[in-house]
Amino acid sequence: MLANINSFIAALKASLEEGSFVKISLGNYKGEEEALKQLLIRKVIIKREGKLAVTYRYKTRDVVKNYAIDEAIDLIKGYLTTGFKIATLFTTENDLILEELNNGKVVLRKGKASSVEVPSASHDKEKARLIKPASKSYLTELKITDAEGKVFKNAQDKFRQINHYIEILSTLIKELPEGTIKKVADMGSGKGYLTFALYDYLHSVLNLESEVIGVEYRQDMVDLCNQVAVKSAFDKLNFVQGTIEDYQAEDVNLLIALHACDTATDDAIYKGIKANAELIVVAPCCHKQIRREIEKSKVKNDVSFLTKYGIFLERQAEMVTDGIRALILEYFGYKTKVFEFISDAHTPKNVLVVGMKGKALSAERKAEVLGKIKASKEYFGIGYHHLERLLAL
């Protein structure tokens, strides 16, 4: 028994040294560890050091632990004598199978190699991203990457956020008729991380000639972003100083406003509706206007036992504010979606409210939506919703 186990371990060590190791699987567990079913082992590189990643497959969960190679080999040898009845070493040369039969005899046999290629030992498989870090001068100018295109350690979260944002928008844009997006307005564009990435995606990936405008109140941010746009040769990207409320958006097809505070989100939605934009995407924050309305009226309803607590009142105000926004978008012929948007370390979770232009509603359906808005306001004691007032509903 031990002789064959030792031969199996020797073959494992040799495959690791020779570079022919693919993986190991241990199965048919009969030991004392509850619910353990299988071990899967592969080689990984962590901080330039080779290790073995062991996946403990239990009945209802997987647990992965990384071990130094010598430590992992000792672990495997121990499990082969205390529970696992079969093990397969996969190499590019052959498959080596160690099995304990029902009569207690341990046999070792070779089979044809299942794989002739050694898998990547990269610990983190590179995710297929729509925005690649290499050869993107704007990412370097914005301090996301160095001159070689390597993402700075302290900018990893921001880079992931940028790609997550583009992934969401790409899915939405693909639902529109081809060639729809001719002009984009990013309201409250800030330092322009997401604005630049969207321009890059529209022009480099979709091969569109879309004009993109970043609207930002802070003049220093506008100047910085315009300088970066020139250096990046993004000739259809421009940043302008101003507020969302004052920006003229008549010919915009895609209107975006991420983290516009309180009623500034309503201003952005209003601009999009008036422009008859095909796509409106907002990530609201600071829902103060509706919270003040609820606090002022002190109406009693079925959720008063919750809203007497400040934190629950805040969450209720957020849901009511965005719920009414979605209804108003629907009233004006937009198909609405509301879902969670994972943002960054500082604002980890936001609600994304999306309106996609559809068919105009019938008079009957419009009346029904208005009835829902009115009933919601009465239930929560809301005198008015800012977006409703802007649109004179």
Side-chain angles (χ1 to χ4, degrees):
M1 176 178 176
L2 285 177
N4 281 337
I5 291 176
N6 288 335
S7 296
F8 184 87
I9 295 298
L12 166 59
K13 290 179 179 178
S15 70
L16 288 165
E17 291 170 2
E18 296 165 359
S20 63
F21 175 81
V22 176
K23 63 182 178 180
I24 293 180
S25 172
L26 278 66
N28 193 17
Y29 184 67
K30 303 298 182 184
E32 297 180 357
E33 195 167 340
E34 187 177 353
L36 181 61
K37 297 176 65 179
Q38 188 180 20
L39 291 190
L40 302 173
I41 300 104
R42 67 183 184 94
K43 189 176 180 180
V44 295
I45 302 295
I46 301 176
K47 296 182 179 179
R48 300 182 181 179
E49 182 181 352
K51 293 181 180 291
L52 289 178
V54 180
T55 300
Y56 295 79
R57 182 150 289 174
Y58 294 91
K59 187 174 181 179
T60 58
R61 73 190 194 283
D62 287 352
V63 176
V64 180
K65 296 182 181 179
N66 301 314
Y67 297 93
I69 288 177
D70 288 344
E71 185 182 7
I73 290 173
D74 289 341
L75 178 80
I76 293 166
K77 186 174 182 179
Y79 268 119
L80 290 176
T81 59
T82 60
F84 284 102
K85 301 302 181 182
I86 189 168
T88 305
L89 168 62
F90 299 88
T91 75
T92 58
E93 303 295 326
N94 53 61
D95 293 352
L96 189 61
I97 303 162
L98 179 75
E99 183 176 8
E100 182 180 337
L101 304 177
N102 291 334
N103 61 10
K105 183 179 178 180
V106 175
V107 297
L108 187 64
R109 62 183 187 272
K110 286 184 179 180
K112 185 179 178 180
S114 301
S115 176
V116 295
E117 291 186 7
V118 176
S120 171
S122 174
H123 181 56
D124 295 313
K125 293 183 180 179
E126 184 178 353
K127 185 177 180 181
R129 298 188 184 278
L130 293 172
I131 301 299
K132 309 288 186 183
S135 304
K136 303 292 186 184
S137 61
Y138 70 90
L139 291 176
T140 304
E141 294 288 340
L142 296 173
K143 311 301 182 188
I144 299 294
T145 66
D146 61 19
E148 283 71 46
K150 183 178 179 181
V151 180
F152 290 120
K153 188 174 182 179
N154 63 358
Q156 293 285 344
D157 286 345
K158 178 60 70 175
F159 185 63
R160 280 193 290 270
Q161 179 204 9
I162 288 169
N163 270 282
H164 181 55
Y165 163 79
I166 296 301
E167 286 166 13
I168 290 172
L169 281 182
S170 69
T171 302
L172 297 171
I173 289 170
K174 286 175 183 176
E175 294 184 38
L176 298 172
E178 188 175 346
T180 296
I181 305 301
K182 295 182 176 67
K183 185 172 182 179
V184 179
D186 187 356
M187 308 293 227
S189 53
K191 199 173 179 180
Y193 297 108
L194 305 180
T195 323
F196 279 99
L198 178 58
Y199 182 94
D200 184 15
Y201 172 71
L202 292 172
H203 285 251
S204 302
V205 179
L206 297 186
N207 296 315
L208 299 178
E209 290 297 318
S210 309
E211 179 185 359
V212 178
I213 307 293
V215 181
E216 172 56 43
Y217 183 72
R218 293 166 292 179
Q219 187 65 55
D220 58 335
M221 292 290 100
V222 172
D223 294 340
L224 170 67
C225 289
N226 278 326
Q227 290 167 16
V228 175
V230 171
K231 289 180 181 179
S232 304
F234 287 176
D235 55 359
K236 290 200 170 185
L237 174 60
N238 186 37
F239 293 82
V240 297
Q241 191 279 330
T243 63
I244 296 174
E245 183 180 8
D246 293 336
Y247 179 72
Q248 301 301 311
E250 287 83 359
D251 53 350
V252 167
N253 311 114
L254 167 56
L255 186 139
I256 301 161
L258 304 185
H259 310 140
C261 189
D262 197 20
T263 57
T265 294
D266 296 313
D267 294 333
I269 295 173
Y270 169 74
K271 294 288 183 180
I273 290 173
K274 284 299 182 182
N276 206 31
E278 280 80 4
L279 186 59
I280 300 171
V281 181
V282 297
C285 74
C286 309
H287 303 66
K288 296 177 182 177
Q289 187 254 318
I290 292 300
R291 175 169 178 162
R292 286 193 296 268
E293 288 289 303
I294 294 173
E295 288 178 320
K296 182 172 64 176
S297 69
K298 295 184 173 58
V299 69
K300 297 297 182 182
N301 56 35
D302 294 340
V303 295
S304 295
F305 76 101
L306 291 174
T307 54
K308 68 178 181 179
Y309 302 107
I311 187 170
F312 289 151
L313 174 59
E314 181 178 349
R315 292 175 183 174
Q316 186 71 69
E318 291 174 5
M319 289 189 289
V320 173
T321 303
D322 293 334
I324 293 177
R325 284 168 173 161
L327 282 171
I328 292 173
L329 279 164
E330 186 180 343
Y331 176 86
F332 284 96
Y334 285 85
K335 294 182 290 184
T336 57
K337 301 179 182 180
V338 179
F339 53 91
E340 192 172 72
F341 167 54
I342 307 301
S343 182
D344 60 18
H346 305 293
T347 51
K349 293 183 181 180
N350 296 101
V351 166
L352 206 64
V353 180
V354 174
M356 187 171 293
K357 192 66 177 175
K359 294 181 180 178
L361 299 189
S362 65
E364 182 181 357
R365 178 62 184 145
K366 277 190 166 186
E368 184 181 338
V369 173
L370 282 179
K372 288 182 180 179
I373 294 171
K374 181 180 178 182
S376 298
K377 287 164 52 187
E378 289 176 352
Y379 184 78
F380 290 102
I382 297 167
Y384 76 99
H385 189 294
H386 186 68
L387 180 56
E388 172 193 39
R389 180 170 286 183
L390 288 173
L391 292 162
L393 288 182

